[in-house]
Structures are given as structure tokens and as C-alpha cells.
Amino acid sequence: MTTLGGELIINKSDQVDSGSYVCQAQNIVGTRETKPTKVTILIPPWFKHRPANVTIANGAKVEFRCDVHGSPKPFVTWRRLDGKVPFERTTKTEDQHLIIYEVISEDSGVYVCEAENEAGVTIAEARLVVVAAPEVVQRPHDKHVLAGETTKLECMIKGEPTPIILWKLPHYKSIGVLTSSQKSGSASVSEDGTVLQIENSSPENSGTYACWGVSSGGGISSHAEIIVVEEFPPPMLGVGPMDLKVALGAMATFPCEPVSESSPPTVTWWYQSTIQDPVQQVIENVRIKLPQTGALIIKGVEQLDSGIYTCRITADSGIVEQAAILKVADDTLETSQLTFLPAPPSKPKVKTLNATSVHLTWLPNSQFSDR
């Protein structure tokens, strides 16, 4: 509207009112105009679409929209409140959207779109939550446990957000699952949920145990079996030494592979030149090697190496040993493997079991028949 005094008043000005204005005066004598006056209507930045909160899987691409208007056109910048924007993996589009590629857990945080022009500044925030599927970093191991002992299963699972660890017991129908700081019977779970402990174990505790890791990123599980026995059988020889006849200067190898269901067994070797001579423990040196496999290796065999070598396996449940004879031949043409002592049978297996008897079967040397 124009006042009587010639003033131009624009009510409720808008961006469309921007432009060049000319004041024109006219009477009977003629018409005169002022020089054009440029008018710019300043409009503070305002959001047509604000960026929204996003929860997304690890490794995906995320896009934050930030549709902002104003006069003059606002300048848009992106920043992060609680850390650094991963600029090496980000792009700002022509319409000021922020794209982050291959997001990782460390990208989680609050992102800010800030729009500014001559009329003012406005901001909008959006939270990014990157979820990583749970991953088992330490699996529980199968265990053989003696009745009355305390045993533990450990299970460590990582993820983002941190997964809740649940333990499923063998008799799940009656017991269900346990989580951190919970207890049921002789079973209890540690405060952080990573350890399941069974006190005063009994055969009823035997079975398959499962640990589950659950979060908004998914779920994962791992299993272990506990076998509780009244007592452990003594250790056994899986593969034992056999009599050898080797040439002078050659190498002699005696295997000794232990089998033990109780504590980890230890293997030692013993030597005596004849059955009447005292027994001496074999010590590793330049020619004699005792690898972790339990074997005995003698390099550059000499005549003094002839004799009886005994592999002894020791565990909490007992001791087992097996001897073999080493003969050093003067003539290399006479060397061969000779059997002076019988090889051991296979590990016994339970065929039938009742309250008063047990029926065991095993395989003798290279023969397939029950004994």
C-alpha cells in the first residue's frame, strides 16, 4: 500500500517481494521517476525436511537429508557433536545431504546440519546408531569333569550394542536360560555373563551347554559339552613305540601319542641298556630330540644307543608305559623294523552296561574281532 505522503508499505513481506522498486511522480506538467531501489527480503533459514535418526547395520551406507530454505540461499555445513565426521568416507550432495559409506561402530553419534544466511542460523540434529552383529571371540570348550569338582565354561561375545549373553542349560525345559548374576541349582552365571560355573558337579550336569549373544544387531550361539564322570580311566597310548633295527649313523624315531580324559598327560622317556641295568631318564641334547608330540628322535645312532626305551605317560588318573628295543646294525643291508614286543590294542569301548557288570570291546593288533 502507498500512504498519502508517498511511502510504500509492504505488509507481511515475502521472498517474492524482493526486486527493484521505482517511485514515480506525475502531474499536469509531466512525470518524474527515482532511480531504481533494490529491495531484498531476508528470510532466516528454515527446514523443509529435517535429518532423521537412523539405526543401521555395520558396513552399510547412510544418508542424512537436510532440505533447508531461506533468502538468500543458506550455506549448509555438517558437523558432529560427540566426535569427528569420517570425512574420508563421506560425501555432501548438491542438495546438502550427507552420505556416509561403510559405516562402523565408531561412527555412531549425533550429527548436526547447520544452515546460515544473513537473516540467521538454524540447526537440526540426528542420531546415528551403527549396530554390529554379535561375534563370538572366545568359545566354550568341551570338558570332562570329575564328580564333585567345580568347573567353568567361558564365552565372550562382542558386538555393537553390547550383546546380552544368555546360557542355555541341558535341561532347558525345567531350568530355562540364565543371564548375568543369575543362579539355578549348582549353576551360576558371572556378573558380566561371560562365565558359567557349576559347583559340586554330578552326572546330572552332563549335557550340551549353549551360550547365546543377543542384541539389536542379531544373535549368535556357541556350544560345549560337559561330561561328568565318577572317576577317570587311566591314560592310554594312542600310538606307542615299536622295536627298531637301524643302521649305524641313521635316525631312529619312536612315537608315543598319549590319550587321557583327565588332566593333560605328561610324556617322559626312559632308557636301560639291558633289562638288568638301572633305568635312566632320557634328556634332550644335540642328538636326542623330544618334540611336543611325545615322540623320541635319535639322530646319528651309535652302538651305545642300543637298548630298551620306555615311553611313560603320567596323568592324574594313573600311569601307563610301553617299551621298545633299539638294535643298531653294523651292516645297513640288515636294517629293518622288527617286532620284539606286541603292539597295544585299540581303546576299549563300552558295549553293554548295567548295575553289576560292564562289557568292553577292543581291537587287537590289525585284527577285527571282539575279545
Side-chain angles (χ1 to χ4, degrees):
M1 59 176 279
T2 306
T3 65
L4 294 176
E7 295 180 342
L8 175 65
I9 299 176
I10 303 175
N11 294 317
K12 298 180 180 179
S13 59
D14 198 356
Q15 188 173 357
V16 295
D17 298 320
S18 297
S20 296
Y21 288 80
V22 175
C23 178
Q24 185 181 77
Q26 185 177 13
N27 60 18
I28 59 174
V29 177
T31 302
R32 297 193 67 177
E33 294 182 346
T34 64
K35 293 182 179 180
T37 299
K38 186 175 182 179
V39 175
T40 300
I41 306 299
L42 299 180
I43 300 177
W46 60 277
F47 291 103
K48 184 177 181 179
H49 292 104
R50 291 174 173 270
N53 296 333
V54 177
T55 298
I56 198 167
N58 187 65
K61 180 185 78 171
V62 64
E63 181 173 354
F64 287 113
R65 296 183 62 183
C66 187
D67 295 335
V68 62
H69 295 268
S71 179
K73 183 178 180 180
F75 178 74
V76 175
T77 57
W78 284 92
R79 55 189 174 86
R80 181 176 167 184
L81 287 183
D82 49 359
K84 295 182 179 179
V85 176
F87 290 108
E88 69 279 2
R89 289 181 285 108
T90 61
T91 297
K92 189 168 78 169
T93 64
E94 291 183 0
D95 48 6
Q96 310 305 319
H97 296 181
L98 179 70
I99 300 176
I100 307 176
Y101 300 92
E102 298 179 356
V103 294
I104 58 177
S105 299
E106 290 74 11
D107 295 333
S108 296
V110 177
Y111 290 79
V112 178
C113 173
E114 183 175 297
E116 181 179 9
N117 64 10
E118 296 175 21
V121 179
T122 187
I123 63 173
E125 299 177 356
R127 180 175 293 277
L128 172 63
V129 177
V130 180
V131 295
E135 177 185 357
V136 178
V137 294
Q138 181 178 340
R139 297 182 178 275
H141 299 291
D142 297 340
K143 289 190 175 183
H144 288 75
V145 183
L146 196 61
E149 291 184 345
T150 296
T151 188
K152 295 180 180 180
L153 293 178
E154 296 186 26
C155 180
M156 297 185 66
I157 301 177
K158 70 176 183 178
E160 185 63 39
T162 302
I164 298 173
I165 298 180
L166 306 173
W167 288 91
K168 180 182 176 183
L169 308 184
H171 313 293
Y172 66 96
K173 291 183 179 179
S174 59
I175 300 178
V177 296
L178 299 179
T179 187
S180 59
S181 302
Q182 290 186 339
K183 182 177 182 179
S184 178
S186 60
S188 61
V189 179
S190 63
E191 186 175 350
D192 62 359
T194 61
V195 179
L196 174 70
Q197 179 172 294
I198 301 174
E199 298 179 351
N200 193 24
S201 57
S202 65
E204 288 73 20
N205 297 124
S206 297
T208 300
Y209 292 75
C211 71
W212 294 340
V214 182
S215 74
S216 57
I220 196 170
S221 65
S222 186
H223 302 77
E225 186 170 2
I226 291 180
I227 298 177
V228 182
V229 297
E230 296 294 342
E231 62 179 3
F232 288 119
M236 297 186 61
L237 270 166
V239 178
M242 298 184 65
D243 301 327
L244 290 176
K245 187 175 183 180
V246 299
L248 189 67
M251 182 174 69
T253 301
F254 290 111
C256 183
E257 297 182 6
V259 176
S260 175
E261 296 182 3
S262 61
S263 61
T266 57
V267 177
T268 55
W269 282 91
W270 302 82
Y271 167 78
Q272 57 187 147
S273 57
T274 65
I275 195 66
Q276 294 84 11
D277 293 328
V279 178
Q280 301 176 0
Q281 185 173 355
V282 178
I283 305 298
E284 191 171 48
N285 56 37
V286 177
R287 290 194 310 115
I288 298 176
K289 301 300 178 184
L290 300 171
Q292 292 185 351
T293 58
L296 168 64
I297 302 173
I298 305 175
K299 299 179 180 180
V301 169
E302 302 173 355
Q303 283 290 353
L304 292 176
D305 295 326
S306 297
I308 303 170
Y309 291 86
T310 301
C311 165
R312 181 179 298 168
I313 299 174
T314 304
D316 289 345
S317 55
I319 298 175
V320 66
E321 56 185 36
Q322 181 172 315
I325 296 174
L326 174 63
K327 283 189 71 175
V328 181
D330 294 330
D331 188 349
T332 57
L333 296 178
E334 296 179 3
T335 62
S336 62
Q337 186 176 37
L338 303 176
T339 302
F340 291 87
L341 298 174
S346 66
K347 179 181 178 181
K349 295 182 179 180
V350 176
K351 192 170 184 180
T352 58
L353 176 65
N354 56 43
T356 59
S357 65
V358 59
H359 182 191
L360 302 178
T361 64
W362 63 86
L363 298 178
N365 301 343
S366 305
Q367 299 180 13
F368 297 88
S369 61
D370 289 353
R371 292 293 178 91

